[in-house]
Amino acid sequence: MSEHEHHEKENFFTKYVFSLDHKMISKQFLITGMIMGVIAMGMSALFRIQLANPGESSSILSTFLGRWAEGGVMSPDIYLSLVTIHGTIMVFFVLTGGLSGTFANLLLPLQVGARDMASGFMNMLSYWFFFASCVVMIISLFVQSGPAGAGWTIYPPLSAVPQAMSGSGLGMTLWLVSMALFIVSSLLGGLNYIVTVLNLRTEGMSMTRLPLTVWALLVTAILGVLSFPVLLSAALLLIFDRSFGTSFFLSDILVQGEVLSHAGGNPILFQHLFWFLGHPEVYIVLLPALGLTSEIIATNSRKPIFGYRAMIGSILAIAFLSFIVWGHHMFITGMNPFLGSVFVFTTLLIAIPSAIKVFNYIATLWRGNLQFTPAMLFSIALVSTFITGGLTGLILGDSALDINVHDTYFVVAHFHIVMGLSAIFGMLAGVYHWFPKMYGRLMNLKLGYAHFWGTFICAYGTFFPMHFLGMAGLPRRYYSNTAFPMFDNLLDINEVVSFFAIAGALFQVIFFFNFFYSIFRGPISSQNPWKSTTLEWTTPVERIHGNWPGDIPSVHRWAYDYSKPGMDEDFVPQIVPLKDGEEEHH
Amino acid sequence: MIKVLFVLVIVVFLAQIVRVFEISSKIKNTKNEVSDSSNNINGIFLLISGIGLLVFFFWQRAEWMDQTLQISASEHGPIIDALWDTTMGLIIVVFLLLTPLLFGVAFYFRGRENRKASYITHNNKLEFFWTAIPAVILLALISYGLNVWGKIVNQDTSDAMVIEVYAKQFGWTARYSGLDNTLGAANVRFVGGTNELGVITENTKDKQIKDLEDKINKLENDLITISSAGKRKLIQQRIEKLQKKKNTLLTYFITTPKENLIAGEDDIVVKELHLPVGKKVLFKFRSQDVIHSAYLPHFRVQMNCVPGTTTQFAFTPTITTKDMKKELDNDAFEYVLLCNKICGNAHYNMQMKVVVETEEEYSNWLSNQTDKKIINL
Ligand code: HEM
Ligand SMILES: [Cu+2]
Ligand SMILES: [Cu+2]
C-alpha cells in the first residue's frame, strides 16, 4: 500500500504543535483565529460601552483597562487604540489568517484530492509566523505608551511621528513588526495554496470540475500574493521614516512646537500603497466566505449551484477589478479629480459580478429542497448581508456622494455589513459544516440554531442603525459625540447599537460552548453527514495522515450532481463514474 | 473571584441544557439531525426575519430620518442631494425586492421528506438579462455621478473669495486673503510667537530673525562668564543650532518670490469662519502636523488637509445661519467645521464655528479684524 501507512511514530509535539499535517494546521489556525476574535469582539464591547455612556464611570472599563480608565472613564487615547486593534485583528487575524488559514488548509488538499499541501514544511512555517505575529500584537497591548492608535489604516504622519499620539510610540513599532510577520505567513501560505491547487489535483479533477470553494480559495491566494508585498513595502518604508530619518511620507511637519527634520515626502503615497493592498484585502476576506457558502448552499439545497461558470467568472472579474479600484478610499485626499472619475467607473463596475453572484445564490435556492442546518442558515444570512451591505457601496463608490459620508459611520455600517458580517457568517457556516471533517463529531443542532438566530438579529441591530448616524454626519473614530450639539440627539441610536452589540457578543458564548463541548462529547459523525458530493467526504472519519488509506480516488464528474434525474440517490459523489449514456454537465 | 464563578455557572448551565437535549432526543428517538419539523420552524423564522428586517428598516426611517442632515446650505448641495436621492431610491427598491425574494424563496422551498429538488444548472437567457440589466443601470448611474462630480470639482473659481483653512492638533484657524484676494507665502518653519500660520512677510521674518539673534546674543554673553568646558560646549552647540535655523529662515525668505511676500501682508488670521451668503469661496487647506479632514456637512463639503501640500474646495453658501435657525426651528443651531480624519486624542473635539451672514454683516465683521492683519502682528 502507500508509503503513508508506515509513518514515523508521532509524539505530542509533532502531532499537535509542530505538525506538518494540513488538517492539524487548519485547526491551529481556527483556534488561534477564534481566540483573536474573542479579544477583538471584547474590545468592541468596551468601546461601545464608552459610546453609549459618554463620560459615565463604569466598573467594567476600569477592570479591563486599569490605568487607561482612571475612575472607570475611558481615556481618548485608549479608545483610539482599541478601535485600531479591533479593526486590525478582525480584518487580518480573524478574517484573513483565521478564515483562509483554516479552510484553505483543510479543504484544498481534501477537495482537489491530494495527500497534503505541496509543502508541509512551508505550511507549518506559515502557521508559526502567524502565531508569532499574533503574539507580538498581543504584547503591544501591554506596553507603557499603549498600543497603536492611528486606525487600522495607520496613515502617516500620525503613525510615523511618536510625538503625534501616544500610540505611535513603541505600540506602533510592534504593530508594524507584527504585520510584517503576518505578511510573511500569508505569503508562505498563499504560495503553497496556489501550487497545491495547480499541481496536486487528482486524476480527472480538471479546473472546471473544481468545487467553488477551491476556486475562491485559489483566487484569494493569488490576490494575497500579489497585494501583500505592497503592504510590506509600505510598512518597511514607514519603519524607515520612523526610525532611520528618511522622508518617504513626511515633509514640513511641526508637532509639539518643534519642526521635524523631514522634507519632501508625501503622506498620500502611503495611502496609495496601503489601499493597493487594502482593497484587494476586503476580497481576500470575502471570497473565501463566498466560496464556502456556495458549497454549503448547493449541498443543503440538494441542487447544483446555479451558473457554475458564471460563478467562476464573477470571482475572476471581482478579483481583477479589485486591483484597480483602490482610489475610492482617496476621493477627498486632493487627488486629481479626473483620476477620481476613473476610480468611480471601475468601482461601480464591481457591482455587476456581485449582482450575478447574488442572483445565482437565489436561483440555487429556487425549487430546491432546503435543509436548514446552522451552516445553511448562516449561508442564507450571508446572502442577505451581502445584498444589504453591497448596495450602500454604490453610494460610497460615487465620488460626489462620498464627499459627505466619507469617514462617517455610514462607512462603518457599510463595511461591517458587507465585509464583517458576510465574512463572519461565511466562516461560522464553514465551521458548522466542516466540523465533522475536523473533529469526527457533530455539533449540537439546537445550540447551533440558538446561536444563529441570536447572532443574526443582533448583527442587523448593531450595524443597520449606523447608516443613520452617518447620514447625520457623525464621523467615525470619535471618542465621544458630546463635543458637538448637532449630535446630541443621536444618543438614542447609539444606545440601540450598543445594546445589540453587547447582546450579540454574549450569544457567541453559546457557539464557543457548543464548539468545545462537541469536540469531546458531540455525537460521532458518519462519513458523509450532509450527503455531499465532494472528495473530502470520501475520506475516513478518523482523520489520517495522507487522507485516503488506499489510492487517491479519481474524479469523474463536477461537484454539483445533486438531484440529478435518473439517479438512485439525490447526490452523486465526484468519484462515481458516469453511467452508460449519462451526460456530464458542462 | 465572583466573575470566575459566574462564568463557571454559565458553562455548567449550558452543559446541562445540552444533556437535556440529548437525553430527550434519545427518548423521542430523534437524532441530532435536520428534520421536517426543524426545517419548518427555521423556514418560518426565515420568513418572519425577512419581514422583520423590512419592518425594522421602515421603523428606523420613521424614527431617525429627521435626525439626518436634510437641508443642504450650499449651491452644489441640492445637486449632490438629488444624486443621493436617486441612488438611495434605487438601492432601497433593490433592497425591498431582493430581501423578501431571498427569505421568501428560502421559506417556500424549505425541505420536506418527499420533496425533490430540480436539477437546474444554468439558464443562459436569464443570466444574460440579469447581467445586462444591472450593467445598463450602473452605466447610467456612473454617468450621472460623474456629471455631478464634474460640476463640483470644475467650478470656475476666478472670482471666488480665497480663504485658507489651517489645521493642527487640535484646532482650526482661518486666513482671509485680504483685498488682493491672494494668500501670501507660508511655511511651518516660520510658525512662532503671534505668527501662528507661519506666514512669510518682511515683518514676520524680521521679527523672527530678531528673536533668534536676541537668543544668540544672550547665549554668547553667557559664554563670557562660564568657564566649565562641558557647559561651554553645550552652549556652543545651542548657538550653532540657532544659527542654522536663522540661515534656513533666510534661505526660505530669499527664495520666495517678492509678490508672494507682499501678498501676505494684508492677510487676516482668525479663529472663526465668516462667509457672506451667495458668494463663492475657494478654501485652501493646509495642515502643520498630521492629516486632518475639513468636514462641513451642512454644505456638503469635505477635503483632507495634508501636511506638505495644499488642497482646495470651492463652494457657495446659500443659507445664512439666521435663516437656518428659523428653518430648523432651533435657536442654538450653528454651522460647524469638524475634523473627520483621525488625528490624535482630541480628534473628537476639533472644531470651528462657521457663520454665514449677509454681505453687510460680513464686511462689518471683517472691518473689525484689522488687528489680526499680518502687518499689524
Ligand atoms: C463584534 C461585533 C462588532 C462590533 C460591535 C463592532 C463595532 C465597531 C465600531 C463601533 C467601530 C467604529 C468605532 C469608531 O470609528 O469610533 C468599529 C471599527 C472597525 N471594525 Fe468593528 N465591530 C464588530 C465586528 C467587526 C468585524 C467582524 C470586523 C471585520 C471586518 C470589524 C472590523 C472593523 C474595522 C476594520 C474597523 C475600523 C477600525 C478603524 O477605524 O481603524 N469589526 N467596529
Ligand atoms: Cu476599497
Ligand atoms: Cu484633526
Side-chain angles (χ1 to χ4, degrees):
Chain A
M1 278 223 171
S2 79
E3 82 260 44
H4 285 266
E5 286 289 278
H6 40 87
H7 238 281
E8 275 172 51
K9 192 135 184 56
E10 294 183 316
N11 60 29
F12 176 81
F13 270 98
T14 55
K15 179 151 189 216
Y16 292 108
V17 184
F18 296 107
S19 171
L20 298 179
D21 180 27
H22 70 101
K23 298 185 290 299
M24 181 55 68
I25 294 176
S26 134
K27 286 187 235 176
Q28 292 174 326
F29 268 108
L30 179 60
I31 304 273
T32 315
M34 277 165 60
I35 293 170
M36 295 305 274
V38 171
I39 295 172
M41 198 172 62
M43 290 179 166
S44 68
L46 292 182
F47 61 68
R48 281 312 320 181
I49 292 177
Q50 154 64 23
L51 286 176
N53 314 291
E56 279 171 39
S57 175
S58 149
S59 62
I60 299 183
L61 295 184
S62 52
T63 311
F64 279 101
L65 298 173
R67 74 193 155 83
W68 294 109
E70 295 288 352
V73 180
M74 185 183 285
S75 81
D77 276 311
I78 197 65
Y79 177 86
L80 293 178
S81 292
L82 287 176
V83 169
T84 301
I85 305 293
H86 159 83
T88 307
I89 291 183
M90 283 293 189
V91 172
F92 291 111
F93 293 84
V94 181
L95 293 178
T96 306
L99 178 56
S100 276
T102 304
F103 290 104
N105 269 305
L106 179 70
L107 295 179
L108 289 181
L110 285 173
Q111 288 195 335
V112 304
R115 298 225 179 261
D116 205 320
M117 282 290 178
S119 163
F121 181 69
M122 260 168 77
N123 210 21
M124 180 191 80
L125 277 186
S126 158
Y127 172 72
W128 284 103
F129 270 103
F130 175 63
F131 182 79
S133 83
C134 290
V135 170
V136 175
M137 190 58 77
I138 304 278
I139 288 174
S140 85
L141 300 179
F142 297 97
V143 302
Q144 177 72 23
S145 54
W152 80 282
T153 51
I154 56 156
Y155 285 178
L158 186 60
S159 62
V161 181
Q163 300 94 305
M165 76 184 304
S166 68
S168 292
L170 182 58
M172 192 66 222
T173 305
L174 291 176
W175 192 99
L176 288 165
V177 170
S178 165
M179 206 39 80
L181 292 171
F182 181 87
I183 293 169
V184 172
S185 152
S186 153
L187 292 178
L188 286 171
L191 289 170
N192 221 343
Y193 306 153
I194 296 171
V195 173
T196 304
V197 175
L198 295 185
N199 287 335
L200 297 188
R201 279 168 290 135
T202 183
E203 196 190 330
M205 183 62 95
S206 60
M207 292 304 273
T208 49
R209 281 180 181 164
L210 286 175
L212 285 174
T213 1
V214 177
W215 267 105
L217 289 166
L218 170 68
V219 173
T220 303
I222 295 173
L223 284 182
V225 167
L226 292 179
S227 63
F228 267 116
V230 180
L231 180 66
L232 185 60
S233 63
L236 289 178
L237 296 182
L238 188 55
I239 289 175
F240 282 141
D241 272 9
R242 286 169 55 81
S243 309
F244 306 116
T246 56
S247 296
F248 293 107
F249 307 130
L250 303 178
S251 76
D252 293 1
I253 289 174
L254 168 69
V255 60
Q256 306 266 311
E258 208 175 322
V259 178
L260 304 184
S261 59
H262 296 280
N266 185 347
I268 301 301
L269 172 63
F270 178 87
Q271 299 186 16
H272 282 291
L273 294 175
F274 182 89
W275 287 113
F276 189 82
L277 158 91
H279 192 85
E281 171 64 22
V282 312
Y283 290 101
I284 290 174
V285 161
L286 198 54
L287 286 179
L290 295 176
L292 297 177
T293 50
S294 301
E295 196 63 29
I296 293 168
I297 286 190
T299 303
N300 289 298
S301 299
R302 316 307 300 158
K303 256 189 80 188
I305 193 80
F306 187 91
Y308 173 73
R309 275 164 198 264
M311 284 299 231
I312 297 174
S314 44
I315 290 176
L316 292 173
I318 288 175
F320 171 72
L321 287 172
S322 76
F323 275 108
I324 50 172
V325 300
W326 78 90
H328 61 215
H329 300 274
M330 301 169 59
F331 288 138
I332 57 157
T333 53
M335 181 165 83
N336 182 325
F338 175 72
L339 191 55
S341 311
V342 175
F343 282 120
V344 172
F345 183 74
T346 52
T347 300
L348 295 197
L349 284 188
I350 287 200
I352 299 172
S354 309
I356 294 175
K357 285 195 93 70
V358 168
F359 294 140
N360 284 350
Y361 273 127
I362 297 179
T364 305
L365 298 176
W366 180 261
R367 296 180 62 184
N369 181 16
L370 312 185
Q371 307 299 316
F372 294 129
T373 59
M376 178 68 164
L377 292 173
F378 272 112
S379 305
I380 293 171
L382 169 142
V383 180
S384 171
T385 53
F386 191 54
I387 295 170
T388 312
L391 283 171
T392 47
L394 294 182
I395 290 199
L396 295 168
D398 206 334
S399 50
L401 299 178
D402 187 52
I403 292 172
N404 221 46
V405 281
H406 180 86
D407 259 347
T408 65
Y409 266 83
F410 197 84
V411 178
V412 180
H414 161 72
F415 75 72
H416 273 98
I417 294 178
V418 74
M419 154 167 94
L421 293 185
S422 302
I424 287 278
F425 288 173
M427 185 169 174
L428 288 170
V431 172
Y432 278 107
H433 193 78
W434 278 285
F435 188 87
K437 205 67 268 171
M438 294 180 146
Y439 296 101
R441 291 172 188 270
L442 295 168
M443 286 176 80
N444 184 290
L445 199 64
K446 298 221 166 87
L447 287 183
Y449 289 144
H451 171 229
F452 170 74
W453 287 107
T455 305
F456 182 58
I457 292 168
C458 291
Y460 265 120
T462 305
F463 296 114
F464 211 114
M466 288 187 187
H467 292 113
F468 293 87
L469 295 174
M471 276 148 61
L474 180 64
R476 70 196 273 208
R477 296 163 173 170
Y478 265 25
Y479 157 71
S480 147
N481 318 327
T482 48
F484 294 87
M486 68 184 278
F487 301 138
D488 282 350
N489 55 3
L490 299 181
L491 201 62
D492 53 338
I493 307 185
N494 263 320
E495 277 167 358
V496 171
V497 172
S498 290
F499 169 79
F500 280 113
I502 289 162
L506 292 179
F507 270 107
Q508 305 315 306
V509 174
I510 301 181
F511 170 72
F512 286 104
F513 174 82
N514 194 356
F515 184 84
F516 289 107
Y517 181 89
S518 305
I519 289 180
F520 302 106
R521 307 277 314 253
I524 303 285
S525 162
S526 59
Q527 189 183 16
N528 187 359
W530 320 119
K531 300 203 177 81
S532 195
T533 56
T534 40
L535 283 183
E536 76 271 30
W537 304 107
T538 61
T539 61
V541 183
E542 316 74 42
R543 299 149 312 279
I544 55 169
H545 246 296
N547 295 338
W548 285 271
D551 293 335
I552 300 180
S554 46
V555 162
H556 302 279
R557 54 181 76 233
W558 73 329
Y560 297 101
D561 270 342
Y562 291 103
S563 302
K564 194 169 188 180
M567 298 291 163
D568 310 333
E569 293 252 27
D570 73 348
F571 70 109
V572 189
Q574 286 187 281
I575 55 170
V576 176
L578 293 179
K579 281 207 272 192
D580 276 347
E582 184 190 349
E583 258 188 68
E584 191 189 357
H585 160 264
H586 270 296
Chain B
M1 192 57 210
I2 293 181
K3 279 165 198 148
V4 176
L5 275 180
F6 186 65
V7 172
L8 276 180
V9 169
I10 292 184
V11 170
V12 172
F13 176 68
L14 281 169
Q16 292 309 322
I17 292 186
V18 174
R19 296 298 295 277
V20 172
F21 279 159
E22 282 170 356
I23 294 168
S24 74
S25 62
K26 251 187 213 132
I27 293 167
K28 280 190 275 175
N29 212 0
T30 56
K31 287 201 223 107
N32 187 32
E33 261 177 24
V34 176
S35 62
D36 275 8
S37 79
S38 70
N39 277 336
N40 246 329
I41 294 172
N42 282 293
I44 292 168
F45 276 6
L46 279 172
L47 184 67
I48 296 174
S49 64
I51 298 168
L53 185 53
L54 300 190
V55 171
F56 184 47
F57 167 73
F58 284 111
W59 177 81
Q60 291 176 88
R61 273 179 72 85
E63 200 71 9
W64 296 332
M65 205 53 199
D66 57 347
Q67 294 174 24
T68 61
L69 299 167
Q70 301 284 348
I71 307 165
S72 56
S74 63
E75 211 167 87
H76 71 273
I79 313 177
I80 289 190
D81 291 357
L83 176 63
W84 176 282
D85 290 342
T86 312
T87 313
M88 205 39 139
L90 180 78
I91 289 176
I92 291 176
V93 168
V94 177
F95 174 72
L96 293 183
L97 287 176
L98 288 186
T99 303
L101 183 66
L102 172 67
F103 289 98
V105 167
F107 163 74
Y108 191 82
F109 295 102
R110 65 194 180 283
R112 262 180 264 135
E113 198 80 56
N114 53 7
R115 173 173 263 153
K116 186 114 176 63
S118 313
Y119 188 78
I120 311 170
T121 57
H122 63 290
N123 180 336
N124 288 344
K125 221 179 189 167
L126 201 59
E127 289 178 67
F128 171 77
F129 278 114
W130 72 40
T131 310
I133 293 173
V136 169
I137 296 177
L138 280 167
L139 286 178
L141 205 62
I142 290 171
S143 49
Y144 182 15
L146 291 184
N147 184 306
V148 172
W149 175 243
K151 279 184 192 150
I152 297 165
V153 295
N154 297 331
Q155 298 187 53
D156 174 17
T157 53
S158 50
D159 59 346
M161 191 169 102
V162 177
I163 301 175
E164 175 174 83
V165 173
Y166 185 83
K168 67 175 176 199
Q169 288 177 326
F170 296 93
W172 298 97
T173 315
R175 173 158 65 123
Y176 284 72
S177 50
L179 284 180
D180 57 357
N181 201 27
T182 310
L183 291 162
N187 185 283
V188 290
R189 285 172 180 76
F190 282 79
V191 172
T194 49
N195 188 11
E196 274 188 68
L197 304 194
V199 181
I200 315 178
T201 61
E202 192 80 39
N203 69 319
T204 58
K205 181 235 7 172
D206 286 349
K207 232 175 166 175
Q208 239 142 348
I209 296 291
K210 186 162 173 305
D211 262 11
L212 286 174
E213 279 170 351
D214 286 352
K215 275 187 201 155
I216 293 171
N217 284 339
K218 191 166 165 294
L219 288 173
E220 276 170 350
N221 278 339
D222 288 351
L223 269 187
I224 300 171
T225 54
I226 291 173
S227 54
S228 138
K231 268 192 186 163
R232 288 184 71 88
K233 186 138 190 239
L234 271 181
I235 294 178
Q236 265 153 359
Q237 275 172 0
R238 229 186 291 162
I239 291 176
E240 244 167 64
K241 218 172 153 192
L242 291 172
Q243 288 285 11
K244 218 166 138 194
K245 188 164 180 200
K246 187 178 139 190
N247 290 339
T248 316
L249 291 189
L250 284 174
T251 319
Y252 267 89
F253 183 77
I254 292 163
T255 52
T256 307
K258 190 98 187 153
E259 63 269 23
N260 292 1
L261 297 175
I262 297 172
E265 291 183 346
D266 65 344
D267 291 359
I268 299 174
V269 177
V270 293
K271 289 283 177 195
E272 205 175 275
L273 262 177
H274 284 245
L275 305 173
V277 67
K279 179 139 178 62
K280 183 170 286 180
V281 290
L282 176 63
F283 277 165
K284 301 252 184 191
F285 303 97
R286 259 192 324 136
S287 162
Q288 77 172 30
D289 38 37
V290 301
I291 301 177
H292 301 266
S293 188
Y295 181 35
L296 296 126
H298 303 98
F299 305 106
R300 313 296 190 245
V301 169
Q302 181 169 202
M303 182 52 72
N304 287 359
C305 312
V306 184
T309 46
T310 328
T311 52
Q312 60 179 42
F313 201 117
F315 73 104
T316 313
T318 50
I319 305 178
T320 62
T321 303
K322 261 189 212 140
D323 288 346
M324 200 63 164
K325 285 182 183 190
K326 256 184 249 152
E327 183 88 44
L328 296 176
D329 196 21
N330 174 4
D331 244 6
F333 174 84
E334 294 291 350
Y335 293 116
V336 277
L337 165 60
L338 309 88
C339 180
N340 194 16
K341 183 62 79 189
I342 181 173
C343 64
N345 58 21
H347 168 54
Y348 72 100
N349 189 16
M350 178 168 161
Q351 51 179 306
M352 178 160 68
K353 186 168 144 185
V354 181
V355 181
V356 180
E357 52 201 6
T358 60
E359 186 79 46
E360 201 185 324
E361 290 164 321
Y362 168 74
S363 34
N364 266 342
W365 170 81
L366 194 62
S367 56
N368 283 331
Q369 311 298 322
T370 42
D371 56 325
K372 294 173 187 131
K373 255 194 193 151
I374 294 289
I375 193 89
N376 300 335
L377 282 182

